[in-house]
Amino acid sequence: MRNIFLILTIAFLLSSCVGNDTVILKQSIGKINKVMVVAKISDWTGDVGQEVRNSFGELMVGLPQPEHFLSVSQVAPNGFSSMMKASRNILIITEAKNEAFTVKKNVFAQPQTIVYVQAKDDESIIKLFQKHKNEIKNIFIDSDIQFTQRIFSKDKIDNSQYKTLSNLGVTFTIPKKFKTVDDTGEFLWLRNHLMSGIAKTGSNNILVYSIPLSDETQISDNIVAVRDSIGKKFIPGSDPETMHMITEEAYTPFTFDAIIDGKKAYETRGKWEVKNDFMAGPFLNYTVIDKKNNRLIIFEGFTYAPSVSKRAFVFELEAIAKSMKIN
């Protein structure tokens, strides 16, 4: 009798799973800004692999030391085990008669992004990859941005506690590890002390403020002047009389078009330094055009982390910036 009951119970559970068409995926694994490439060894050591490494090997602008936007590792198709299939970002390159470029989510694990590139031979694969390389890179970066934002959302600050954010009518997904340095009602400065390795003396910083919107054609040209004026007013060095943050004079920042909260924006990456001092590091600035309120909303993140890689710190700031919502 007991065996019959057990069999009926198992049958019921199995039929329930099938009836609901429910598949429970495992949790994905993998570091931020890391892509696993599934390709034959001969492809990886040949022209196909060289093209992938060159495309993903673009250096992140504004960092003091050379660091790539994305790191890659390779596994052969016969070594693509169940553990490997749990990787969060995967690029699969195969030879097939039909040429195809496709993107799928949550195939073997979640959250997961898999990009498939297939063509009839190496030359065709390279052409297809070159055609879509910027799109592929952005797909993986955006995936990691969303992943990071989900992590931050589990333990985020209450935006309403900050006078500046309330007055400006903006919100961000900022983890609670960031603490207040200054909150005037017009200018917000948050800081996260870095507690690991050599960087334990360093910090990751967030600035939020706004300025009036005047000549829209001059916005990108004035970004450095605006940030330097803010540095002089709000970001002092060890001697406030002679030291304050400025844009590093020996390095010209790069500015790109961007979209934040559906609004036109400018993304600027460069290096900061403290005038008359030896402190320096990378910064990331988003200047967002808020036409409805005739103003520019400015988010800036800057990192001070001597002697360690800074890509991960700047990426965290990018994820926070791109969570901006303007009321």
Side-chain angles (χ1 to χ4, degrees):
M1 187 70 179
R2 184 185 301 171
N3 290 340
I4 293 175
F5 179 77
L6 180 61
I7 292 171
L8 290 174
T9 301
I10 294 172
F12 173 76
L13 292 172
L14 290 174
S15 63
S16 297
C17 291
V18 172
N20 293 330
D21 197 24
T22 300
V23 177
I24 299 176
L25 295 174
K26 66 179 73 174
Q27 189 71 23
S28 60
I29 58 175
K31 294 181 178 180
I32 296 292
N33 305 135
K34 180 73 177 291
V35 178
M36 173 174 289
V37 181
V38 182
K40 295 186 300 183
I41 294 177
S42 58
D43 285 341
W44 186 247
T45 57
D47 294 338
V48 171
Q50 189 61 48
E51 180 62 35
V52 173
R53 289 189 293 275
N54 288 344
S55 298
F56 285 178
E58 181 182 350
L59 297 179
M60 184 178 282
V61 175
L63 298 186
Q65 299 87 19
E67 295 185 66
H68 303 299
F69 268 103
L70 294 169
S71 300
V72 295
S73 61
Q74 178 265 344
V75 62
N78 59 8
F80 191 40
S81 62
S82 59
M83 183 179 73
M84 299 290 188
K85 289 179 180 178
S87 298
R88 193 171 59 256
N89 294 325
I90 303 173
L91 170 64
I92 299 179
I93 299 175
T94 56
E95 290 185 6
K97 291 182 179 179
N98 297 324
E99 184 176 291
F101 164 72
T102 55
V103 181
K104 294 184 179 180
K105 298 283 189 177
N106 305 335
V107 177
F108 305 112
Q110 65 177 13
Q112 182 181 64
T113 300
I114 303 181
V115 175
Y116 297 84
V117 176
Q118 67 177 49
K120 62 181 180 179
D121 52 33
D122 287 1
E123 182 179 356
S124 300
I125 289 173
I126 291 172
K127 286 182 179 179
L128 185 61
F129 189 85
Q130 288 176 336
K131 179 181 178 181
H132 294 283
K133 64 181 181 181
N134 289 331
E135 182 180 355
I136 293 172
K137 184 185 74 174
N138 289 331
I139 285 170
F140 287 128
I141 290 175
D142 289 345
S143 174
D144 279 345
I145 290 286
Q146 294 169 19
F147 177 76
T148 302
Q149 289 173 342
R150 282 195 294 270
I151 293 175
F152 289 167
S153 67
K154 295 176 182 178
D155 189 33
K156 64 181 180 179
I157 64 170
D158 176 8
N159 284 262
S160 65
Q161 69 180 293
Y162 298 106
K163 293 183 296 182
T164 301
L165 297 185
S166 296
N167 291 344
L168 295 179
V170 298
T171 61
F172 297 88
T173 301
I174 305 175
K176 289 182 178 179
K177 62 185 179 181
F178 281 87
K179 307 302 180 184
T180 306
V181 178
D182 199 4
D183 182 19
T184 69
E186 298 179 348
F187 172 83
L188 176 65
W189 180 1
L190 303 178
R191 174 184 289 153
N192 169 35
H193 287 287
L194 305 175
M195 302 302 292
S196 60
I198 301 174
K200 61 186 178 182
T201 59
S203 64
N204 233 12
N205 299 265
I206 292 171
L207 310 178
V208 182
Y209 54 95
S210 75
I211 61 173
L213 172 61
S214 52
D215 186 352
E216 193 171 332
T217 64
Q218 298 297 314
I219 294 173
S220 61
D221 294 332
N222 292 333
I223 289 173
V224 169
V226 170
R227 74 173 307 277
D228 283 349
S229 66
I230 292 295
K232 185 175 183 178
K233 184 176 181 180
F234 292 107
I235 317 293
S238 56
D239 180 0
E241 296 296 322
T242 61
M243 299 177 181
H244 60 268
M245 176 185 281
I246 60 172
T247 306
E248 184 176 310
E249 296 177 346
Y251 183 92
T252 302
F254 288 79
T255 297
F256 313 90
D257 291 338
I259 300 293
I260 299 291
D261 192 28
K263 299 173 178 60
K264 182 178 179 180
Y266 293 96
E267 173 188 304
T268 302
R269 294 175 182 263
K271 299 176 185 177
W272 62 270
E273 62 183 355
V274 174
K275 185 177 182 179
N276 299 322
D277 201 355
F278 297 102
M279 294 181 67
F283 76 82
L284 174 67
N285 177 296
Y286 285 95
T287 298
V288 185
I289 303 174
D290 180 15
K291 287 188 176 181
K292 177 183 176 182
N293 297 296
N294 197 36
R295 62 182 180 172
L296 301 176
I297 297 291
I298 299 169
F299 172 101
E300 180 162 319
F302 67 93
T303 301
Y304 177 62
S307 304
V308 298
S309 298
K310 300 168 183 61
R311 180 180 72 176
F313 301 135
V314 174
F315 190 79
E316 281 194 2
L317 297 172
E318 181 180 353
I320 293 169
K322 289 181 175 178
S323 71
M324 182 191 297
K325 300 296 181 184
I326 302 175
N327 297 335

